Amino acid sequence: MKKNVTIVMLIFSLVISSFSFYTSAEASGFADVPSRAAKEVNYLAERKIANGLSPSVFGAEQAVTRAEAAAFIGRALQLNGTKRSTSFKDVSSGNFASGYIQSAVERGVLSGYDGGYFRPEQKVTRGEMAVMISKAFGYPYGGTLTGAASALMSRGIANGMEDGTFGAGQSILRVDFAVFLARTMNPAFRVKSTSSYTQVAPSVMNKVDPRLASQVVILDPGHGGKDPGAVGFGLKEKDVVLDTGLKVNELLKKTPLQVHMTRTGDTFPSLSDRTNFAKSKGGDLFLSIHANAFNGSANGTETFYYSSSATNQYVSDSKLLAEKIQRRMLMAWNLQDRGVKQTSKLYVLKYNDMPAALAELGFIDQESDNQKLKSEYWRTAVAKAIYYGIIDYYNAKGYEVDALYNVAK
Ligand SMILES: [Zn+2]
């Protein structure tokens, strides 16, 4: 999709990760960039993602402000940077980064402080940087600084400090921010990671349909934050569906498909936030994950799609997706088959612009369904099922996907 050139390139780079895009350290002409960071700064400068303070001075040793970080990330994501009024009292339309700040906040990549302040001149800490990059590039991080630090370290984007900590509270220099952002965008720059973070194996990449790399899958774990969803036997729907969604995400990351989650932590995006996010990522497939509740007497698995083309024209593909997901969930959990159902209501299906389905794994307030929902083992099983359902969908759409069935084994 048009907006995802960066991500396509990122995936492409995984295949050719031994190839170095840049050999010249002087191209950008900054006198104050140390040679250790030259290729990364050049990479960003050539793409107009990081500007210098002047043509010859990058400002390498200066701390990054929140406004600068918003501009770096906003340009990297190709957000709308047109200067304009913002929702913050302390960011006027004249601020150089006002457009990027507003776009990033609307996209959920950055957030402000209580009372309507953004604090554009505040220095960014290493921990905040890790959260910003995790949110911007869709790395699951569990909503914590520690989680964000390990999301970056496990990918070879950031290292820990010499004392063995991440240095989350330390402010970060412009040159280091640039290095981390360049490594995020181009895996060829990454350092060795000690973690087991999985990349797309060349054996998989070589066997599957190259068109898959431009396909964008949006996973939407329902509810979150202040909204627990349905509750049964002390188990909250928001926790079950997030964990399941993260497991599906981990499997999809091993494929060439691009995947984004509407939430990766205990946050509460509104329904319109979710569909806007999906559209802004250029989504080609949207799957919302939920658990059901009635009054303790209903049970089983069901999957919905929006049945009118009035607001989401992808009726037949949505139905196909729902059928594939439902079939696999039944195979995995063997709960009662409540069927694939049409709906004229569910917001995230109705006000979307791509094939979309909503899976109800089971009834959280019914004892035997709840046994499955609360079990790590069974959640892993249903996450695999959902993954297989997505692959089945692409198979039915005529993509060569055989190698992807081995990924979840
Ligand atoms: Zn729900």
Side-chain angles (χ1 to χ4, degrees), residues 222-223 229-230 237 241 289-292 358 360:
H223 313 279
E237 178 185 356
V241 298
I289 304 173
H290 286 255
N292 232 326
L358 185 147
E360 294 277 6

